[in-house]
Amino acid sequence: IPDHELARLAGAAMDPGTRGPVVDTALATSVPHVFAAGNLVHAAETADIAALAGRHAARSISAALRDGPPPTTGTVPVRVTAPLAWIAPNAISSARTPPPGGRFVLRSEVFARRARLEVEQQGRVLASARSRLVPGRPIHLDASWLPRADPAAGPVRVLVRGPS
């Protein structure tokens, strides 16, 4: 469980999957001027991955100090369906900033040797990728589909379509 106490007390929206604060791809939370990274966003990442997320958050914080805080409205939720447990970041920033490392991190609740992940929005497929699913291990989903997401079309869903 992420050490989310300060984020929760600040009133940040919490994600039931990661049990950490909801963050967009710039790592901004629902609270203006509050960003979250590393194991606060989702637990059990290695130090190097957490540090890279911290660098990404630092760039977003620097931009917010220079240009003003990012808008807290206009983000698009990114959700997963079972057997996927969670995704991080779990929202797309209004500026469509790529996530740390240019990819999203997911977790699965099941094993699957060759699963097909699909990213969809209102029934429109934005991306498809093959992946091996292992509970407790990270699954990386390239963020190249971000420009195809429509900010006005509602949540983006990532789902498993089965073996391929």
Side-chain angles (χ1 to χ4, degrees):
I1 299 172
D3 190 6
H4 64 266
E5 194 66 17
L6 288 175
R8 191 182 60 75
L9 289 172
M14 303 303 285
D15 180 71
T18 64
R19 302 202 287 188
V22 171
V23 293
D24 66 17
T25 49
L27 300 181
T29 70
S30 61
V31 178
H33 309 290
V34 176
F35 293 77
N39 287 333
L40 172 60
V41 174
H42 54 86
E45 284 301 332
T46 59
D48 59 331
I49 299 300
L52 289 173
R55 292 176 85 181
H56 186 81
R59 284 191 294 275
S60 296
I61 292 166
S62 178
L65 290 171
R66 183 182 61 246
D67 306 329
T72 56
T73 59
T75 60
V76 177
V78 180
R79 300 184 177 134
V80 295
T81 60
L84 298 173
W86 55 259
I87 187 167
N90 32 41
I92 301 169
S93 70
S94 55
R96 293 193 192 183
T97 305
R103 60 191 186 180
F104 291 82
V105 178
L106 302 98
R107 286 286 197 280
S108 173
E109 297 174 332
V110 300
F111 286 98
R113 285 192 176 156
R114 291 176 48 118
R116 187 168 49 112
L117 300 177
E118 279 192 1
V119 181
E120 70 170 30
Q121 187 180 37
Q122 284 192 340
R124 186 171 57 99
V125 176
L126 305 177
S128 180
R130 289 186 184 152
S131 185
R132 182 176 186 198
L133 307 181
V134 178
R137 297 282 189 159
I139 303 160
H140 296 109
L141 177 64
D142 183 75
S144 59
W145 54 268
L146 275 177
R148 293 187 290 281
D150 180 354
V156 169
R157 292 184 331 140
V158 181
L159 46 124
V160 177
R161 287 289 187 201
S164 55

